[in-house]
Amino acid sequence: MAAPLRINGESIPPGTSVNLELPLPHLYTRTPMTMPVYVRRGKRSGPCLFVCAAVHGDELNGIEIIRRLMKRRALTRIRGTIIAVPMVNVYGVIDRSRYLPDRRDLNRSFPGSGRGSLAARLADLFMKEIVAHCTHGIDLHTGGMHRGNLPQVRGKLDDEETLRLARLFGVPVLINADLRDGSLREAAAERGIPMLLYEAGEALRFDEVSIRAGIQGILNVMRGLEMLPPSRARRQPSREPFVARSSSWVRAPASGIFRGSVPLGAHVEKKTLLGTIAEPVGDRESEVRASIGGIVIGRSNLPLVLEGEALFHIASFEDLHQVAEQVEEFQSTHEEAIESGSERSII
Ligand SMILES: [Zn+2]
């Protein structure tokens, strides 16, 4: 028999689905505030997975990933429990901002405290009401404003279970990321909960490849945890993920108008021309060249740059050519599915 699950004082027995609203401090207009929580609990006991998004309030792909995920019929056959929270920083979502209204970064405020700042209180509530029940977690992020990320999974990959889940997710690029002070990932790790961070797309934008790869990744992880039966899809993608050896940012050598010439996912060699920076008028141009060989996993999409600004994020790999092939296959499979209007062919 599965253990009782209580969220916000409400008992959620096995075999039930509920949508909850966790009360939050209201706005100064007296507008009530809540954090929506979706719980799908199977009859059979099993892992408890939280999936959350918009810890940074302007990172929207994850909200859409959770919206579509919750509609999947597969979840009616779930073993264990999924707790989905599409907007952890709901204040930031209202403001279309990464931060909380007190300008704090929620992902530097974990595990938080019930008597601390607004960010600390929100973090504390999330830890106590959600994370405390869970055995595993997936946190959905995007790049920052005007910065796109190639779909990638970050995690503490020297932890065996985290690495296993990261490989199951099904994106070609994995990054072994150190735990940051105050991050949700650090707070989860301290409680022995393996957690993945999915980073894909750009703040304040939807990216269809990132959204689809995210839904598929969560379902893949749930199958790997035996929360869902194995996929019946005949054609399983033969993708082998690769862990980056290291990564580095290429910064603007000068201020000016930036034109990028390589897309996300591009395979570049050291010194490959990545773009140019020009004066608004005149002939003077500076070249932006790759500092290392690798795959472009992040890039700036804003043509206005100041000297020193980060423009391209390049990850290097042991076997770069193989990774490049996998990235190409990954992108073309998803793009073809989108073009053919097929929602299910790859998920
Ligand atoms: Zn983020």
Side-chain angles (χ1 to χ4, degrees):
M1 191 61 193
L5 171 65
R6 281 185 87 80
I7 299 179
N8 195 31
E10 191 173 323
S11 169
I12 304 159
T16 54
S17 290
V18 291
N19 302 337
L20 300 165
E21 303 282 343
L22 287 183
L24 298 177
H26 61 67
L27 302 182
Y28 32 70
T29 50
R30 296 186 69 232
T31 308
M33 290 290 286
T34 58
M35 187 193 298
V37 176
Y38 302 92
V39 185
R40 302 287 177 268
R41 191 156 196 224
K43 286 200 178 89
R44 292 167 298 155
S45 65
C48 184
L49 171 72
F50 74 81
V51 179
C52 66
V55 166
H56 292 135
D58 60 353
E59 301 184 359
L60 309 181
N61 281 332
I63 300 176
E64 178 65 3
I65 289 172
I66 290 176
R67 190 185 73 81
R68 292 195 208 170
L69 178 72
M70 287 294 108
K71 295 204 295 191
R72 302 304 293 236
R73 283 226 306 277
L75 294 192
T76 57
R77 288 172 290 154
I78 190 175
R79 188 178 76 88
T81 305
I82 182 169
I83 305 178
V85 185
M87 297 176 284
V88 181
N89 176 6
V90 64
Y91 301 94
V93 177
I94 290 174
D95 285 346
R96 304 173 190 176
S97 159
R98 176 183 179 89
Y99 304 103
L100 280 150
D102 64 4
R103 299 199 293 178
R104 282 191 168 82
D105 182 333
L106 181 57
N107 215 22
R108 300 286 175 274
S109 306
F110 282 93
S113 131
R115 284 142 62 95
S117 66
L118 178 61
R121 288 170 196 228
L122 205 56
D124 179 64
L125 180 80
F126 189 75
M127 292 305 291
K128 287 185 176 144
E129 294 284 3
I130 310 296
V131 179
H133 306 296
C134 293
T135 56
H136 297 81
I138 301 175
D139 185 15
L140 306 170
H141 285 255
T142 75
M145 287 257 273
H146 312 300
R147 278 174 207 288
N149 275 342
L150 183 75
Q152 56 197 266
V153 166
R154 300 183 186 181
K156 198 172 173 298
L157 302 181
D158 35 23
D159 173 63
E160 213 176 294
E161 178 71 349
T162 309
L163 178 63
R164 184 178 82 88
L165 300 181
R167 296 174 69 90
L168 283 168
F169 199 93
V171 293
V173 172
L174 309 182
I175 312 272
N176 187 12
D178 286 339
L179 294 171
R180 293 223 189 167
D181 268 359
S183 69
L184 171 57
R185 211 153 56 84
E186 185 192 60
E190 271 167 16
R191 283 155 185 75
I193 299 169
M195 203 191 103
L196 303 181
L197 200 117
Y198 176 61
E199 277 267 3
E202 179 181 339
L204 297 176
R205 296 283 182 275
F206 272 174
D207 176 65
E208 187 60 23
V209 169
S210 300
I211 291 167
R212 286 174 179 233
I215 299 165
Q216 186 183 7
I218 296 165
L219 292 171
N220 287 344
V221 168
M222 290 177 77
R223 289 185 192 112
L225 291 170
E226 296 178 0
M227 295 175 74
L228 293 177
S231 170
R232 283 177 298 174
R234 265 166 288 143
R235 195 169 53 88
Q236 286 286 352
S238 57
R239 273 179 227 119
E240 175 67 21
F242 294 86
V243 181
R245 197 166 46 183
S246 64
S247 72
S248 79
W249 280 96
V250 178
R251 294 181 177 277
S255 303
I257 307 300
F258 163 65
R259 277 175 298 134
S261 44
V262 296
L264 281 178
H267 169 191
V268 298
E269 304 292 346
K270 189 173 177 171
K271 300 262 163 65
T272 296
L273 183 66
L274 304 176
T276 52
I277 298 170
E279 306 266 300
V281 177
D283 297 328
R284 204 189 301 167
E285 278 197 357
S286 319
E287 292 180 335
V288 181
R289 291 190 178 270
S291 50
I292 55 168
I295 302 289
V296 175
I297 61 166
R299 60 159 281 182
S300 171
N301 294 322
L302 187 69
L304 310 173
V305 300
L306 290 170
E307 183 179 320
E309 226 171 282
L311 297 181
F312 293 92
H313 193 193
I314 302 177
S316 77
F317 295 86
E318 212 77 33
D319 199 334
L320 184 53
H321 288 271
Q322 260 184 301
V323 188
E325 266 174 40
Q326 293 289 343
V327 169
E328 215 181 296
E329 201 234 86
F330 168 83
Q331 287 180 315
S332 58
T333 315
H334 281 288
E335 276 155 16
E336 279 165 25
I338 292 165
E339 259 169 47
S340 70
S342 150
E343 173 75 17
R344 295 199 65 97
S345 64
I346 47 157
I347 294 173

